[in-house]
Amino acid sequence: MAKMTAAEQKAALEKWKEHCRQVQSLTGLSLAVAKETPSEKARRIKRLLSNYNEFCEYYFAHFLTLRDKATGEVIRIIHNAPFHTQAANLIKNTPDLKAVFRWPRSHAKSTHIGVFIPLWLIFQPKRLIDFMVTVGKSENSAIRLLGDLQAELEFNQRLINDFGEQKNLGSWLEGEFKTRGGAKFLAIGRGQSPRGLRDREARPDYITIDDLDDDELCRNEKRVKDLTAWVKEALFGALDLGRGRFIMVGNLISKTSVLANISASKGVHVSEIKAVDRDGNPIWSEKWTKEEAQAVKDFMGYRAWEKEMMHNPINDGSIFRHEWIRFKRLPKLEKYDMLVCYTDPSFKSTTANDYKASRLWGKIGTELHLIDCYVRQDTISGMVRWLYNLYEDTRDRVAITFLMEANFMQDIILDEFDAEGRIRGYQLPILPDKRTKPEKVQRIEAVSPLWERGYVFYNEDLRDSPDMQVGIEQTLALERGSRAHDDAPDADEAAIWYLQRHTRQNEFKPVAIPRRPPKGSW
């Protein structure tokens, strides 16, 4: 990681000072708390220390309040999600813990694991942390992470009121400090030597490793292997014979990553939280709505969303490559030798949780063209309406063969076609695909040379449409063992198989050859 310039350091310092001012101004005492008797105060503190959610809401309301940036007015109070509370209780109740918390971007993993939970443990009646080490991509990033906790200890008026002044003037440096109560804190960057870390007789007993991976690192398997060894050997060895809480947080940006390697290690507890469930509902519903999540997903795009928010990193090039995706202006439909629209409706028939794909392909000479497409997380009825609209837009000009895998043509799907047909006054002539198919990835891989050799083209007019982009990203993401959606490339393979089979049959013209008489006959 590159070192910060003087200007960047100055800007970071000013940002931190402003954060400290906000902490001080937003953590003032209420009138009721200011008038508490000593016994009332003791009961309140005891209650807060026994309940993590109440502890966070009282001492860190400034973190949990969403404000309008322009006016400063409160928009929403954000409560902890259940997975935050579960993590806090697990960490508190497991003194010798090795854990990985794989949470998405913007799900407060650094805030909870690096600030809220440590402070909750430090102020327990019997202090549960003596020496905390924060590890970041670089020493600067680790210092910034630890700086949030330091700011709370120094400026949070509610903490100071309940637990006393924490700033220790004799040991209060940036990236390394010690409270008046004796708790020690240190920030280090990845790869720095943690050997011999101790504060007198105390060795680290709470190590948090925050977002250690980045894209550049994950492209180099040797660097990942070396850094994994550093985490397991030098960093874990800083604990006293493994005694203490050893925690890594991040999101799974690559299957070749330190986070992936530590997650797969024996004895490690793994908490994996995805941004949304299968129906698109946010797991942290206290923070954002389903509509907000969908808007973020639409902006990020399929691959970025899967990588950053769903722990499903997608690598290009295992079967298809970017340079094989070619666009061109397509001819009129009447010019094509044959047109096939193949539909993969997914097994989840009535809900909008999986992708449904309908792909209109045409063959003209030796070229195969993706003319139109539908790749959406939608209901079956939405998919059926798209197919009917396609049929009505084209039936007066050309004949399209509509196909769907026979296994999918169940009663519930046929009912949707029947219901739409009654509204429109006719039934869509869709045929079942009854062929016995080999394994999916094997089938798709078998047709990939058509892309490589330049026989496949996509409709230039739809280059920027969401349906086209999602289909391309699914195609590029395809690899064995991947959890990425593959509805679009699966439908593509089936349509192309029918186009190729039909044209081969049409082009083969049997020729009558006279039978030669056997030797020796008259």
Side-chain angles (χ1 to χ4, degrees), residues 376-427:
R376 301 175 194 173
Q377 288 179 307
D378 200 356
T379 59
I380 287 292
S381 58
M383 179 196 74
V384 168
R385 284 193 297 272
W386 187 90
L387 287 168
Y388 267 90
N389 291 339
L390 174 65
Y391 178 71
E392 291 182 357
D393 290 342
T394 59
R395 62 182 174 181
D396 293 336
R397 295 183 288 147
V398 294
I400 297 175
T401 301
F402 288 85
L403 291 160
M404 183 187 297
E405 185 174 337
N407 292 342
F408 286 119
M409 297 190 72
Q410 306 155 6
D411 290 343
I412 193 166
I413 295 179
L414 292 178
D415 287 347
E416 296 284 355
F417 280 98
D418 183 62
E420 188 69 21
R422 286 197 301 271
I423 294 172
R424 305 206 186 207
Y426 66 92
Q427 292 298 316

Side-chain angles (χ1 to χ4, degrees), residues 245-263:
R245 297 166 173 89
F246 190 76
I247 301 169
M248 190 171 192
V249 301
N251 58 325
L252 191 66
I253 64 171
S254 172
K255 295 173 185 176
T256 306
S257 63
V258 181
L259 187 80
N261 292 342
I262 300 301
S263 297

